Amino acid sequence: MELEGRGAGGVAGGPTTGPGRSPGESALLDGWLQRGVGRGAGGGEAGACRPPVRQEPEPNPDYEALPAGATVTTHMVAGAVAGILEHCVMYPVDCVKTRMQSLQPDPAARYRNVLEALWRIVRTEGLWRPMRGLNITATGAGPAHALYFACYEKLKKTLSDVIHPGGNSHIANGAAGCVATLLHDAAMNPAEVVKQRMQMYNSPYHRVTDCVRAVWQNEGAGAFYRSYTTQLTMNVPFQAIHFMTYEFLQEHFNPHRQYDPSSHVISGACAGAVAAALTTPLDVCKTLLNTQESLALNSNISGHITGMASAFRTVYQVGGVTAYFRGVQARVIYQIPSTAIAWSVYEFFKYLITKHQEERRAGK
């Protein structure tokens, strides 16, 4: 093509056909000129004289499809960070929830709402009292949530491919959440037992090691898993509702599954609130099994509350039907920001790690 012989006028508006050009070449050049491709910064002929190099826009990394070979590691790292931050940030409210679920609390530990409870705990027991037991919780939350999210993501994709190939299956989401809960609670249950005993009013334990030693010596190793079946009975429906609600809301707020912090926060908060409210009776029974509350034990002839049926019976004997919903306000208030933090932090770190991996792959 006789590109060198064209002047600025030909570029600006002159004919695009000329001697030595075939119709195909003229059509190609017309397309370049109409799109402004090949011109220099000032629109001069220097840019027009060089055949343009078409650069396809780089596609954004597929957020939901992580690089092969790194998926499990990415999910575990993001999940561990999310779990630790979630529990640490919301720990004071969790302390209040544990106390408000007490069946027969000490008169000094009767609270009207979460804010009043926090104020009274800090004023009468010290500034750091609501944080007692945080270290054991953070220690357990890391591995528990790493297993939790890694298992969920893997099973969700596997089951969705079977149930609804190429799409999202709510059944797969719920089933994956249930199985992931088995691993999460197996890792987290001992930490929950120690944490809740340290959170109770007038707890005799000031250090985690003191609590662990006392439980081991007085009740045996089985005490750390006494509430495991009830924990599963509570958490399996909780997580099924939680994950199904989250994925359902994501389909509406974030149908293309891009990294969208606002949609992750809203979906996580709503999912946590719904699941928390519906499973509060089971959480009350779990707290009773973990703490073995002395005043409640006086109404139980067996001495120790050892199973879900026994816990349900004791709760009813002590407080009636309304006792099953003790602490529901604190539980919902805890879960709304808790699940919002967990999902937003998890999706953020998942996005960062995925993007970093994609950039490394593109640079090779």
Side-chain angles (χ1 to χ4, degrees), residues 50 63 66 70 78 86 105 114 222 232 240 261 295-296 305 308 316 336 364:
R50 289 193 295 271
Y63 178 54
L66 302 184
E86 169 198 351
V114 175
L232 289 178
L295 292 176
I305 303 170
M308 184 179 64
Y316 183 77
I336 288 176
K364 290 183 179 178

Side-chain angles (χ1 to χ4, degrees), residues 120-154:
R120 285 177 56 188
I121 291 172
V122 169
R123 184 167 55 86
T124 61
E125 302 175 52
L127 178 63
W128 297 107
R129 182 62 182 89
M131 306 301 291
R132 187 181 296 177
L134 174 62
N135 51 351
I136 188 65
T137 301
T139 302
H145 280 72
L147 293 171
Y148 174 66
F149 278 107
C151 179
Y152 171 72
E153 294 278 9
K154 178 66 176 176

Side-chain angles (χ1 to χ4, degrees), residues 149-286:
F149 278 107
C151 179
Y152 171 72
E153 294 278 9
K154 178 66 176 176
L155 284 178
K156 179 182 75 169
K157 185 177 186 308
T158 302
L159 294 176
S160 290
D161 289 342
V162 173
I163 299 172
H164 188 189
N168 180 42
S169 168
H170 294 302
I171 296 175
N173 298 334
C178 292
V179 177
T181 301
L182 298 176
L183 296 178
H184 172 274
D185 288 0
M188 194 67 187
N189 208 85
E192 281 282 320
V193 172
V194 175
K195 175 199 77 172
Q196 291 196 310
R197 293 197 181 207
M198 297 186 72
Q199 288 175 333
M200 293 297 288
Y201 180 73
N202 274 341
S203 171
Y205 311 111
H206 294 277
R207 294 184 301 178
V208 168
T209 52
D210 295 337
C211 184
V212 172
R213 187 182 303 111
V215 173
W216 185 283
Q217 292 175 349
N218 298 331
E219 303 174 49
F224 292 106
Y225 282 94
R226 184 180 288 134
S227 65
Y228 182 59
T229 54
T230 301
Q231 183 99 335
L232 289 178
T233 305
M234 177 190 73
N235 281 347
V236 165
F238 175 91
Q239 298 302 350
I241 297 169
H242 171 203
F243 280 116
M244 291 173 70
T245 305
Y246 179 82
E247 297 289 353
F248 173 79
L249 292 174
Q250 281 290 285
E251 285 185 350
H252 290 271
F253 295 138
N254 188 16
H256 300 294
R257 298 306 179 98
Q258 300 296 317
Y259 174 61
D260 182 7
S262 61
S263 77
H264 301 316
V265 170
I266 294 171
S267 300
C270 293
V274 172
L278 294 178
T279 57
T280 294
L282 294 167
D283 193 45
V284 171
C285 294
K286 182 209 74 172

